[in-house]
Amino acid sequence: MSSPAVPKPQEDYKLKDMKPQLGERWPHGGLRGGGGWISSERATSTYDLVQQMFYLYVRVEKAKDLPTNPVTGNCDPYVEVKMGNYKGKTQHFEKKTNPEWRQVFAFSKDKIQSSNLEVIVREREMVGRDDILGKVNFDMNEVPTRVPPDSPLAPQWYRLEDRQGKAKVKGEIMLAVWMGTQADEAFPEAWHSDAASVHGEGVFSIRSKVYVSPKLWYLRVNVIEAQDVEPDDRSQPPQAFVKARVGNQMLKTKLCPTRTTNPLWNEDLIFVAAEPFEEQLELTVENKVTSAKDEIMGKIFLPLNIFERRLDHRPVHSRWFNLEKFGFGALEGDKRHEHKFSSRVHLRVSLEGAYHVLDESTMYVSDVRPTARQLWKNPIGILEVGILSAQGLLPMKTKDGRGTTDAYCVAKYGQKWVRTRTIIDSLSPKWNEQYTWEVYDPCTVITLGVFDNCHLGGHEKPGAGSGARNDSRIGKVRIRLSTLEMDRIYTNSYPLLVLQSSGLKKMGELQLAVRFTCLSLAHIIYLYGHPLLPKMHYLQPFTVNQLDSLRYQAMNIVAVRLGRAEPPLRKEVVEYMLDVDSHMWSMRRSKANFFRIVSLFSGVISMSRWLGEVCHWKNPVTSVLVHVLFFILICYPELILPTAFLYMFLIGIWNFRFRSRHPPHMDTKLSWAEAVHQDEMDEEFDTFPTSKAQDVVRMRYDRLRSVAGRIQTVVGDIATQGERFQALLSWRDPRATSLFLIFCLNAAVVLYVTPFRIIALLAGMFWLRHPKFRSKLPSVPSNFFRRLPSRADSML
């Protein structure tokens, strides 16, 4: 086994405070919403959580009366918008003198190196250089500024000029040119100068988009019974079972315990379905002929929209459905006769609207609302997130022999997914995009992930280490809303940490501005006393295995549906955001959970150690004070509970000074990721089933056996202690039980005749006695308890 990786300085992995200049600023120096010539307590702009970025917008609407080529007699026009070193092109039309483009170009003001904007109309030539039909020039100093909520700037017709800009030529073009910010309505759909190298289909994959998860339902199929099912061999009654399929999900009932043509099951099968319903419920009744052969006796296809939508725990009505005879054709007897005496199956099927369909881990759930919209409560708050920028990203692929990254950010909360635009060829991309979500429960988590875009039209070739054409993971951030103070803007730089087969790696930092605004404080307080999930999860709960299987199916459905959007939110992105591999075995994660348990009991251990020091008079002053407090509580027992609660109150007030000033973030020490063994990381990133050599698998299996053996020993010790308590009264050791019963009888008599205060005083004084009166040997009760038998003697 290789030596553990050398941990990096802890500061690299810490959350950092930022002081960005947030909010919109008016073009001539005023701050919109606070401090400028418009002042208010809070900026009213919807873009007050991001840094303002200015863009030069050019809207190319259409052209008319363009000249035709004297040779071909046609015109194949397109428009080139040129600003310094940046050049954007519209699509070209064939044989059209009055084309309509309706396309917007955005040039970042920070990167503008020229004061002259050229809009050139060109004709596409098959051979040689494209010919210029005419152009229009604009002086940057004369461009008007538009600030929402102003209406869009009206486009105007401009006469085309020749190449030198001295004479007018035939043709006109309709344009609108203005200076605006990312708050402009044209921003999301515009061609951006920071992605000037992307052309063709790749343009669609770089734009910012909002996605909505499909509406998921649990489909409960209660298979009750069937009638008149007959196998091919009618001499022997069938041993029947039902196989149900919805899309890629397939479940079976148990075998009917008796061989009969009228089998009974009364078994629930649970599926996940997504609206709009595209799959059908496919039901087959089959006969178990042999262990390796199943025979289909009947089949039926049922569309999901015919089933009742259940909003509570009351059962829906059951229905009989006629089964189609498997292999039944047009020439096989009379169809009407077959239908009249066909096999039937008795079902109770419902679409469960009162459950929340879990597609993410319950530890990081972002939505707890039931499926049925009529069961939703009012929102209790608003979450606003400004995705500012990233810093120090590592190169994820090679382009022209140098490392580069085309980064975008994805945020997921509830059913709403957002994706920022892709910033091309930048290790410090600035997005400055702001998004808003409604919050229905504060004990939820928003997840943000940063990815490298590998679908830009084939211009970027993946490097040697980037693998297949999947968008690479750069890092992930989770923020639990309940840890945020109300109406406070958090501006922090989060480390993007990724575990790789080589160990922990910092991929850069993600800079966010987050604000959780409270709409109803009373409603939030009310929620803290209620279950996190809808009540149907507790009235008719699913098993742990069912929940794991259903969550996996829900994740697959969400990934497929979002992958069908344009541009698609790809499967690898959705799976990373939803923690698809969280259930896989990891030695590192097992260690981390073990030490979490150890730290959990550290408080109890510290308390018992302190009490031991009091009993052994390590600090006489403390021991005397504890004696005084003990005497007061014995004399006034009604003060015990108030004193305990007052003590907890004072501890809580004392700890207020040490509260966290930052939202929680990925803790490398807690995750046991800094000093993890190389082979353990390689095991964590191994495929399932394994792809490693046999000797490696054998070594890992032996290691797993040793770890599992220790866990087995600890669990066995805990069980032993519990069974010894049971042995006190179970007569497993007749002498020990006799002694305990005699002790109980004597104790009952003594406690009846002696006031409780005297008993408590004597017990407390005995426990707090001075070390001079203590024996170094174990106490009598401890000796007695350790001698009791457990059921370990009966284990093989």
Side-chain angles (χ1 to χ4, degrees):
M1 188 179 294
S2 59
S3 60
V6 178
K8 295 182 180 179
Q10 184 65 22
E11 303 80 62
D12 289 353
Y13 304 136
K14 283 187 176 178
L15 203 66
K16 298 174 185 174
D17 283 320
M18 297 189 309
K19 301 262 182 222
Q21 197 174 46
L22 302 180
E24 286 191 349
R25 296 182 178 272
W26 290 76
H28 303 295
L31 171 64
R32 183 176 187 176
W37 46 274
I38 293 181
S39 62
S40 76
E41 292 183 3
R42 172 179 160 183
T44 56
S45 164
T46 56
Y47 278 78
D48 61 334
L49 290 185
V50 290
Q51 294 175 297
Q52 191 177 48
M53 299 188 298
F54 279 95
Y55 289 87
L56 174 68
Y57 289 98
V58 182
R59 180 184 293 278
V60 180
E61 286 285 341
K62 53 187 174 181
K64 65 180 180 181
D65 300 332
L66 296 178
T68 58
N69 191 306
V71 178
T72 62
N74 298 319
C75 182
D76 301 336
Y78 68 93
V79 175
E80 181 181 278
V81 183
K82 189 175 180 182
M83 187 74 207
N85 296 329
Y86 295 100
K87 190 187 298 182
K89 297 178 183 179
T90 66
Q91 67 179 115
H92 86 279
F93 291 101
E94 294 185 359
K95 302 178 182 179
K96 207 164 190 180
T97 57
N98 298 313
E100 294 186 7
W101 291 286
R102 305 192 187 280
Q103 192 169 342
V104 181
F105 297 84
F107 297 88
S108 176
K109 185 180 178 182
D110 295 340
K111 298 180 180 179
I112 290 177
Q113 300 170 346
S114 172
S115 61
N116 186 45
L117 169 68
E118 292 182 283
V119 181
I120 306 169
V121 182
R122 291 182 179 270
E123 183 182 15
R124 186 167 183 177
E125 297 285 352
M126 298 301 294
V127 180
R129 189 176 179 184
D130 294 348
D131 190 26
I132 295 179
L133 301 178
K135 68 176 184 176
V136 181
N137 288 325
F138 293 89
D139 185 353
M140 280 286 296
N141 298 319
E142 302 299 326
V143 172
T145 299
R146 176 192 173 238
V147 181
D150 287 353
S151 298
L153 196 67
Q156 301 179 43
W157 286 106
Y158 293 88
R159 285 284 302 274
L160 294 178
E161 301 173 347
D162 59 12
R163 295 187 185 204
Q164 290 75 30
K166 295 178 180 178
K168 302 292 182 182
V169 296
K170 184 183 179 184
E172 295 181 61
I173 185 168
M174 180 179 277
L175 301 170
V177 182
W178 73 96
M179 187 67 72
T181 68
Q182 75 265 42
D184 202 291
E185 291 90 342
F187 179 80
E189 297 299 326
W191 171 97
H192 286 272
S193 58
D194 52 16
S197 62
V198 181
H199 300 289
E201 294 296 322
V203 172
F204 298 106
S205 70
I206 64 172
R207 291 174 174 165
S208 57
K209 291 292 178 183
V210 173
Y211 304 82
V212 179
S213 289
K215 188 175 184 179
L216 299 176
W217 295 79
Y218 285 136
L219 176 70
R220 187 188 296 270
V221 182
N222 179 222
V223 184
I224 303 172
E225 57 182 329
Q227 286 185 350
D228 303 327
V229 290
E230 293 184 349
D232 288 341
D233 182 7
R234 301 195 180 186
S235 62
Q236 188 175 14
Q239 189 171 22
F241 68 95
V242 173
K243 184 190 292 182
R245 185 190 300 274
V246 176
N248 295 325
Q249 308 167 67
M250 195 271 288
L251 296 173
K252 300 177 184 178
T253 66
K254 296 174 182 173
L255 288 172
C256 181
T258 57
R259 289 184 171 272
T260 173
T261 57
N262 298 316
L264 176 69
W265 298 282
N266 196 21
E267 190 174 336
D268 276 355
L269 305 177
I270 311 294
F271 300 90
V272 179
E275 280 192 287
F277 300 123
E278 298 176 350
E279 296 89 5
Q280 290 184 314
L281 172 62
E282 177 187 341
L283 218 69
T284 56
V285 180
E286 302 189 17
N287 175 28
K288 193 68 154 176
V289 182
T290 64
S291 60
K293 182 182 177 184
D294 298 330
E295 170 199 344
I296 298 178
M297 297 184 290
K299 180 181 285 192
I300 188 171
F301 295 90
L302 299 170
L304 300 186
N305 51 17
I306 68 170
F307 300 126
E308 189 174 338
R309 304 187 180 203
R310 191 167 74 144
L311 304 182
D312 52 30
H313 62 281
R314 286 173 289 192
V316 299
H317 297 293
S318 60
R319 293 170 60 185
W320 285 95
F321 295 94
N322 291 329
L323 293 170
E324 300 172 7
K325 193 81 165 150
F326 185 70
F328 180 71
L331 303 177
E332 296 181 18
D334 184 3
K335 280 188 177 181
R336 287 174 297 173
H337 177 77
E338 188 71 28
H339 180 73
K340 187 175 180 182
F341 296 101
S342 66
S343 305
R344 301 193 302 168
V345 64
H346 192 192
L347 304 175
R348 180 180 283 111
V349 187
S350 59
L351 289 160
E352 301 285 351
Y355 287 91
H356 170 70
V357 181
L358 290 163
D359 60 344
E360 52 199 344
S361 170
T362 51
M363 299 297 297
Y364 314 119
V365 68
S366 65
D367 187 18
V368 292
R369 289 172 292 171
T371 298
R373 184 175 287 272
Q374 53 264 51
L375 298 180
W376 292 3
K377 304 284 194 253
N378 291 327
I380 51 90
I382 294 173
L383 173 64
E384 298 163 279
V385 178
I387 303 173
L388 303 178
S389 60
Q391 296 292 328
L393 298 183
L394 299 182
M396 301 300 293
K397 55 178 175 275
T398 56
K399 177 183 176 183
D400 300 329
R402 60 185 178 83
T404 182
T405 296
D406 306 321
Y408 66 91
C409 182
V410 174
K412 196 266 182 189
Y413 184 78
Q415 296 180 346
K416 178 178 173 182
W417 299 65
V418 301
R419 168 181 171 154
T420 67
R421 69 192 189 284
T422 301
I423 306 296
I424 304 299
D425 196 10
S426 174
L427 301 181
S428 298
K430 293 183 178 180
W431 295 290
N432 284 304
E433 297 181 25
Q434 184 168 336
Y435 297 95
T436 304
W437 288 267
E438 289 182 332
V439 178
Y440 292 84
D441 195 298
C443 301
T444 46
V445 176
I446 180 171
T447 304
L448 301 102
V450 183
F451 301 87
D452 174 48
N453 197 331
C454 294
H455 300 83
L456 301 177
H459 289 268
E460 281 72 25
K461 301 296 182 188
S466 62
R469 296 267 304 171
N470 285 342
D471 288 356
S472 305
R473 307 169 176 181
I474 298 179
K476 183 161 58 179
V477 171
R478 295 192 193 98
I479 302 174
R480 186 171 292 274
L481 272 56
S482 58
T483 62
L484 304 178
E485 296 177 13
M486 301 293 185
D487 302 312
R488 173 183 164 187
I489 297 178
Y490 290 84
T491 53
N492 298 106
S493 184
Y494 292 80
L496 294 171
L497 305 175
V498 170
L499 278 169
Q500 298 178 340
S501 55
S502 58
L504 180 69
K505 197 168 189 179
K506 182 179 176 182
M507 310 294 287
E509 296 181 0
L510 177 63
Q511 298 177 341
L512 302 173
V514 182
R515 177 171 58 210
F516 177 32
T517 304
C518 172
L519 297 179
S520 173
L521 182 59
H523 197 175
I524 289 180
I525 296 172
Y526 169 81
L527 283 175
Y528 271 94
H530 284 72
L532 182 66
L533 294 171
K535 61 182 180 182
M536 277 296 288
H537 285 267
Y538 309 97
L539 297 177
Q540 293 185 4
F542 298 124
T543 65
V544 174
N545 288 338
Q546 276 181 320
L547 281 175
D548 285 344
S549 173
L550 291 172
R551 182 188 165 226
Y552 180 75
Q553 298 298 341
M555 280 192 297
N556 282 340
I557 291 174
V558 170
V560 169
R561 290 289 177 96
L562 293 181
R564 284 160 46 180
E566 184 57 45
L569 198 61
R570 302 190 177 274
K571 183 179 181 182
E572 63 269 19
V573 174
V574 176
E575 289 183 345
Y576 183 54
M577 298 290 286
L578 294 179
D579 293 303
V580 69
D581 54 357
S582 61
H583 65 288
M584 296 297 290
W585 158 260
S586 164
M587 181 72 79
R588 172 194 59 82
R589 200 178 289 126
S590 301
K591 281 184 185 177
N593 288 332
F594 173 76
F595 285 105
R596 283 173 63 197
I597 293 174
V598 170
S599 66
L600 189 66
F601 287 105
S602 63
V604 178
I605 295 170
S606 300
M607 189 69 177
S608 63
R609 191 180 295 121
W610 178 79
L611 289 173
E613 291 177 356
V614 168
C615 295
H616 288 84
W617 290 73
K618 292 287 179 67
N619 188 337
V621 176
T622 304
S623 297
V624 170
L625 290 176
V626 170
H627 277 76
V628 172
L629 178 62
F630 176 71
F631 277 115
I632 293 173
L633 295 179
I634 287 296
C635 296
Y636 303 99
E638 63 275 7
L639 295 179
I640 294 175
L641 281 177
T643 302
F645 283 111
L646 180 62
Y647 177 73
M648 288 189 287
F649 170 78
L650 293 175
I651 290 294
I653 293 296
W654 177 261
N655 288 339
F656 180 76
R657 296 188 309 158
F658 311 109
R659 71 191 187 281
S660 175
R661 300 296 202 277
H662 299 132
H665 66 289
M666 304 296 184
D667 190 331
T668 56
K669 192 173 182 181
L670 180 70
S671 306
W672 208 251
E674 292 179 289
V676 66
H677 287 283
Q678 179 67 43
D679 185 69
E680 292 174 3
M681 289 307 305
D682 188 56
E683 179 185 24
E684 187 168 343
F685 283 88
D686 192 9
T687 57
F688 184 83
T690 183
S691 58
K692 297 297 179 182
Q694 188 174 359
D695 55 340
V696 176
V697 175
R698 182 183 291 113
M699 182 272 292
R700 289 178 180 172
Y701 175 62
D702 290 338
R703 181 176 62 193
L704 183 59
R705 287 177 66 190
S706 67
V707 173
R710 293 179 208 152
I711 296 172
Q712 172 183 292
T713 303
V714 171
V715 172
D717 288 344
I718 295 172
T720 295
Q721 306 309 319
E723 289 168 355
R724 281 174 175 166
F725 273 108
Q726 289 181 334
L728 286 170
L729 296 173
S730 64
W731 293 90
R732 197 172 293 129
D733 182 342
R735 283 161 295 281
T737 302
S738 301
L739 290 171
F740 182 68
L741 293 181
I742 293 170
F743 169 77
C744 289
L745 179 62
N746 292 330
V749 172
V750 171
L751 291 173
Y752 268 122
V753 299
T754 311
F756 179 75
R757 288 186 185 180
I758 302 300
I759 299 295
L761 178 64
L762 293 175
M765 292 303 297
F766 178 78
W767 184 57
L768 293 170
R769 69 194 185 278
H770 197 274
K772 291 181 180 178
F773 307 107
R774 292 180 182 273
S775 170
K776 292 185 178 181
L777 298 176
S779 63
V780 172
S782 175
N783 293 332
F784 180 78
F785 183 76
R786 290 179 183 178
R787 289 176 175 275
L788 291 170
S790 71
R791 302 184 67 185
D793 309 331
S794 305
M795 287 189 66
L796 291 173

